[in-house]
Structure formats: structure tokens, C-alpha cells
Amino acid sequence: MEDLVIRDADVVDGSGDPAYRADVVIDGGRVVSIVQEAAAAGCQRPKARRELDAEGLVLSPGFIDMHAHSDLALLRDPDHSAKVAQGVTLEVIGQDGLSYAPVDDRTLAEVRRAITGWNGHGDDIDFGWRSVGEYLDRLDHGFEGQGIAVNAAYLIPQGTVRMLAVGWDDREATPEELGRMRRLVAEGMEQGAVGMSSGLTYTPGMYAKDAELTELCRVVASYGGYYCPHHRSYGAGALEAYEEMVALTREAGCSLHLAHATMNFGVNKGRAPELLALLDDALAAGADITLDTYPYTPGSTTLAAMLPSWASEGGPQAVLGRLGDDGTAERVRHHLEVIGADGCHGVPIEWDTIEISGVSDPALTEYVGRTVQQSADLRGEAPWTTARRLLLDDRLGSTILQHVGHEENVQTIMRHPVHTGGSDGILQGAKPHPRAYGTFPHYLGRYVRELGVLSLEECVAHLTGRPAARLRLPDRGLVREGYRADLVLFDPATVAAGSTFEAPRVLPRGIPYVLVDGRFAVEDGRRTDVLAGRAVRRTAA
């Protein structure tokens, strides 16, 4: 007898097709049969060791977070309810060109310091790996060999690769250095990575010219992977930055997935249709393009990411040295406030849009929840003085919310047929962006039920089947016989994000059951102790 039958579920299968009523039977971590209501009339219904009455609930594939920053959280927190409670069963990590494999001892220390604001110091993590394969093995074994909370796929971080081969210098790679980067990318793909990411407003990845990126993308394409760039601007020059990525990947013959594909800042208000027209033209010409977004207007990153690239050359210690020098700090201020630093997407910074969401040093918590402008006003000083002090005192570890988005752009982009969902959720800080805890139920509650921007079937396809297709996963992302039983049951009448900007760590409502590999990770609305997640490795091209 099979393990479980989920009875009388309204199945939204991830394909975009209409929902149907069915009994779904699970055994050995897979869906073994689906008996639709019409076919079951007059027949004996399937039985199993356990039956779950799903009357009034939607059964869908587990949600795939196409842009996650859980690289250390998956190894730090076995509960990981920030994602599990949302119905996420797979996260794509290694984002924005900066993560923890491949590394050597020097690079590991540097990257840990550089992205403390994203993932914490990592003092509680045993960094026993150096290669991509060793990191994926570490995820497989998880906590005492049991595994991790959800499945994880990995992107090779181009900035980390450049850190290994070139260092932090703003210069072109030599032929020998480019050859080493190509080998590192090939090794990572062979060891199971699904593609490569870049952070082209973050150092040192941003120092790579298009020719260098194209050569690395050729390697990714030879393994059937995709390129996932955080491109060079989401503000002034955003459309040109999108065009650059489209042209680069077409030249390399590589699939393209645009990370957090937004159009932000005042210069881009109402311009989402221009982006989509660009993508439609490329798709019509044969390009393979997808994108992800989160259903919120503010962005989130580190305060140090706002700095101009010249001030970030040489790595974190060099940055702190420049900020400590009055003359150089004044040059930084001028670029930020007058010229528009490339770290701030070419737009002069508006300090009243920069809210501090977290600090690494607990002694600095007074800044959290206030904009830089508000803290400066309280101190009676210029906002750059406040920002500079915080950068120095927190050793570049502060995270921010940047309130520069536009709701009409968010809604326009999420309607596009190549759109997928990604939280871009940073789990660090006292007041993180609510997207970390709320992205997927917010899509279902706000944008499906309340606003009708997407139908339920279409939205679920954006969050499940389409990302699985991008990842080339042959047995995930759909409710199908033979597919992995990574599933979520939610109430379409009540599902909603609990997290808000005021209380960002509140768990969602209306998601009583989540299964990872056929085992209940959430049961009756409560997190179980199941750790069924594993590293999901690239399938053969």
C-alpha cells in the first residue's frame, strides 16, 4: 500500500492549465498516481497508509525561489521556516556573483567579509569545502547527515571566480587569468552547478568587460546551463544594461535569466513596457530568456553596495581605508550625491530612500528602521556623515531597504509569460525586507486573489513549472505521475503574507501543508523536524 493519498484536492498542476479535482497518491517520494474526480466516478478510490482530506485546498507543486540568498542559512538553521512556511521546496543560491564556492583560503576570507550583510559573518559555519562539488555535498549531508530544510540549486558566482583568478583589481584579465576562470566555471558546471551568476554593480565582478563575460558564458552554454546576471544598472541606463546582457548571451549562445528584473528610480517610472518590448523582440529572434521578480517595490542590498566602483577596488580593507581618509571620503560623497555612483545605478542617491534594515554590530541597532536622512536629522548632521560613520563602525556589514520602485512596473513585468518568482530574500538583520518571508504567499494573496493581476493557474505556473523548465529539471515543477512529490497545499481564500515592513519575520497564513520529497515539512500549519532537502545538481545537457 502506498504512503499517502491526498484526497479531493483542487489540483493546480504548474502548467497553467485549468484546475481539476483529484486524489493524488504519493509513495517513495514521488507522485505515483492521479485519479481525477470524473474518472473516479463509480470506481474504487485509491487507498494508502495515510489519507489527507484536502477539501477546499489547492494542491500545487512546491514553489521554486529563483533568487535566494540562503547560502549559509541552509546550513545554519535546520528549521528555515522563512522559506518552508511559504511553500518553497527549492531555492536557487549562489546569486549576484558572490558566494562561497569555488574558493581558496584567501578568497574564502575575503568573500565572507564582503557579503557579511547578506549572510552574516559565518563564524557558526564549518567552511570545510573549497570546490562547488564539496559545497553541494555539504548541503546533501546537512545536519548530522539528514539533509537540509529545502532543496537547493547552485549558480557559480562569477565575482568569486574573478576574485580567485584576478583579485580585486579594476583591470582586464590576462589570457592566463581568463583561462583559469574558464576552467573554474567548467569544473563548477561538471560538479553540478546549474549556471553562473554575476553581480555587475558589485566588486570585483563588475570589473569584467563584456568580452570576458562572453567567454565564461560560452563555457556555461556548453554544459546546458544559464547565465543569471544582476546587470550593470537598474536605474539610469537600465534599458541599455538589459540590452547588453541580451546581446552578450546571444553572442555566447547561452540561455539568459535576468535577476530581479525591475525598472527602478524616478527615471524609469512607467517604463516597464519598454523592457518587455526589448525582451519580446529578442525572444522572437530566437533568444532563450527568462526573468524573476519579487512582488514588492523596495529593493534590498548592503549600504556598501551604493559606493562607486573605484572606491571598492581592492576589497573590503581597501574600502575602509578610503572611507577613513577625509579627502577620499569627500570624493565618494560627491559621486554619490552629485554625479550618481555606479553602485547606486547611476542615479544621485536620495538618503531619505535608504532605510537601514540590519547591522552586524549590535551596538549600532539605533540605526535600524530609520532612513539615513532620519538618523542624520536626529544627529543634526549631513546624511553622508551619518552613512560614512555607519559604514566604518559596522565594517561594511549594514543592510538597507532602498525605496525606489514603482508598483505599475512591478505588475506589468509579473504578467509577462517568461516571468518567474524570486524572493531575493536577505535573512540577516533586525528588520529585513518582508519579501524574505512573504514573496510567494504575497503573489497568491495580493496579486491573484485581491488584485486579479494573474489568474491562480497562471501564477502557480510562474512559481513552479516555468522555473523548473529554466533549471532543466525533468521531474520537478509539475504535479505529474512520476514527478518528485515536492508539493504545497494552500487555501486560496486565505493565503497571504504575514510579513510586513513593520514586522518582517511573521510567517504566512493559509499554507497548512508542505511536502519535500513526499515528507511533511509543514503539517497542520506547523513546521516538522523533517530535513528532506538536498542539492539539486545540473542534469546532462
Side-chain angles (χ1 to χ4, degrees):
M1 186 176 288
E2 280 75 23
D3 292 334
L4 171 69
V5 58
I6 300 173
R7 200 173 299 290
D8 292 323
D10 293 321
V11 178
V12 178
D13 68 4
S15 68
D17 291 342
Y20 59 87
R21 177 69 65 93
D23 293 346
V24 177
V25 183
I26 297 165
D27 191 63
R30 293 187 180 270
V31 175
V32 295
S33 69
I34 300 172
V35 181
Q36 294 198 36
E37 185 177 55
C43 300
Q44 184 175 4
R45 301 182 72 176
K47 295 182 179 180
R49 294 184 185 89
R50 176 177 177 184
E51 296 187 5
L52 174 62
D53 181 3
E55 181 70 38
L57 298 178
V58 168
L59 174 66
S60 83
F63 305 132
I64 298 176
D65 189 342
M66 286 295 287
H67 193 105
H69 287 286
S70 301
D71 306 46
L72 298 186
L74 285 165
L75 297 173
R76 173 182 291 126
D77 178 17
D79 183 79
H80 201 45
S81 282
K83 296 300 179 70
V84 181
Q86 292 187 60
V88 171
T89 58
L90 171 61
E91 297 184 272
V92 185
I93 55 179
Q95 299 286 349
D96 294 328
L98 291 167
S99 189
Y100 305 93
V103 292
D104 58 16
D105 291 350
R106 170 189 62 83
T107 307
L108 176 61
E110 291 172 347
V111 77
R112 285 179 62 183
R113 192 178 308 118
I115 53 175
T116 292
W118 293 356
N119 298 308
H121 294 289
D123 295 338
D124 53 344
I125 302 293
D126 177 11
F127 288 93
W129 67 84
R130 292 297 179 268
S131 70
V132 169
E134 290 168 347
Y135 175 63
L136 297 181
D137 288 343
R138 178 72 175 83
L139 293 174
D140 277 340
H141 291 94
F143 296 89
E144 299 180 355
Q146 294 183 69
I148 49 180
V150 301
N151 299 301
Y154 189 70
L155 295 167
I156 302 164
Q158 170 260 330
T160 303
V161 167
R162 196 171 213 272
M163 209 183 298
L164 262 172
V166 182
W168 292 82
D169 296 338
D170 182 3
R171 63 173 175 82
E172 291 188 23
T174 66
E176 293 76 17
E177 290 166 340
L178 180 57
R180 187 183 181 199
M181 285 190 281
R182 286 175 54 89
R183 290 191 298 274
L184 288 166
V185 172
E187 290 168 3
M189 295 299 295
E190 290 168 1
Q191 292 165 10
V194 296
M196 181 180 75
S197 74
S198 282
L200 299 179
T201 65
Y202 300 130
T203 55
M206 69 190 306
Y207 300 139
K209 301 295 190 289
D210 284 1
E212 178 181 314
L213 296 171
T214 300
E215 285 303 305
L216 299 184
C217 283
R218 291 188 201 278
V219 177
V220 173
S222 72
Y223 289 93
Y226 68 93
Y227 181 43
C228 179
H230 163 130
H231 51 271
R232 298 191 194 275
S233 177
Y234 292 83
L239 282 176
E240 292 80 3
Y242 282 113
E243 289 172 352
E244 176 190 10
M245 295 299 102
V246 171
L248 185 157
T249 49
R250 288 297 301 275
E251 173 69 19
C254 187
S255 300
L256 173 64
H257 181 84
L258 295 164
H260 37 56
T262 56
M263 294 286 287
N264 289 338
F265 302 92
V267 295
N268 290 316
K269 183 176 176 61
R271 298 187 68 190
E274 297 176 56
L275 166 61
L276 300 185
L278 165 67
L279 300 183
D280 286 338
D281 288 346
L283 290 163
D288 179 9
I289 302 174
T290 50
L291 56 86
D292 67 67
T293 70
Y294 46 85
Y296 299 87
T297 52
S300 179
T301 186
T302 62
L303 181 59
M306 299 292 101
L307 299 175
S309 56
W310 62 263
S312 299
E313 185 179 3
Q317 283 302 120
V319 177
L320 291 168
R322 293 186 184 101
L323 290 171
D325 178 78
D326 289 344
T328 308
E330 173 56 24
R331 286 182 59 209
V332 172
R333 183 205 65 78
H334 184 74
H335 272 79
L336 280 169
E337 296 183 350
V338 179
I339 297 174
D342 46 6
C344 195
H345 307 278
V347 177
I349 199 164
E350 297 174 322
W351 293 112
D352 60 353
T353 69
I354 306 296
E355 178 185 354
I356 305 302
S357 60
V359 290
S360 295
D361 184 347
L364 302 171
T365 54
E366 64 182 276
Y367 291 97
V368 175
R370 296 176 182 157
T371 67
V372 172
Q373 186 68 60
Q374 287 170 333
S375 289
D377 290 344
L378 288 172
R379 291 172 172 270
E381 61 190 17
W384 168 241
T385 302
T386 300
R388 179 189 177 193
R389 179 188 300 109
L390 181 56
L391 286 162
L392 287 167
D393 290 351
D394 208 26
R395 309 285 296 176
L396 311 181
S398 305
T399 52
I400 63 170
L401 302 181
Q402 192 170 19
H403 296 270
V404 292
H406 307 285
E407 180 66 20
E408 63 269 36
N409 285 348
V410 170
Q411 293 191 24
T412 298
I413 293 169
M414 75 169 63
R415 291 188 181 99
H416 197 274
V418 301
H419 168 268
T420 66
S423 71
D424 196 13
I426 295 173
L427 300 171
Q428 292 296 117
K431 196 182 178 192
H433 197 302
R435 68 192 185 191
Y437 284 72
T439 286
F440 296 89
H442 198 51
Y443 268 118
L444 297 168
R446 176 68 172 160
Y447 290 94
V448 172
R449 185 179 63 247
E450 295 179 7
L451 299 179
V453 174
L454 295 168
S455 71
L456 179 59
E457 290 87 351
E458 183 70 4
C459 184
V460 168
H462 286 225
L463 307 181
T464 61
R466 292 181 188 172
R470 163 51 72 218
L471 295 167
R472 297 192 176 186
L473 302 178
D475 59 354
R476 298 177 193 267
L478 298 172
V479 181
R480 290 278 195 276
E481 292 181 356
Y483 274 57
R484 294 276 186 179
D486 293 342
L487 303 168
V488 57
L489 283 151
F490 62 88
D491 182 348
T494 63
V495 62
S499 60
T500 64
F501 287 100
E502 292 72 30
R505 296 186 185 274
V506 178
L507 297 180
R509 303 184 296 275
I511 305 179
Y513 299 98
V514 179
L515 292 90
V516 178
D517 200 35
R519 301 168 62 192
F520 284 99
V522 174
E523 187 171 7
D524 294 325
R526 294 185 295 275
R527 176 72 170 99
T528 70
D529 60 0
V530 164
L531 294 169
R534 299 290 185 273
V536 174
R537 291 167 170 82
R538 177 191 60 86
T539 55

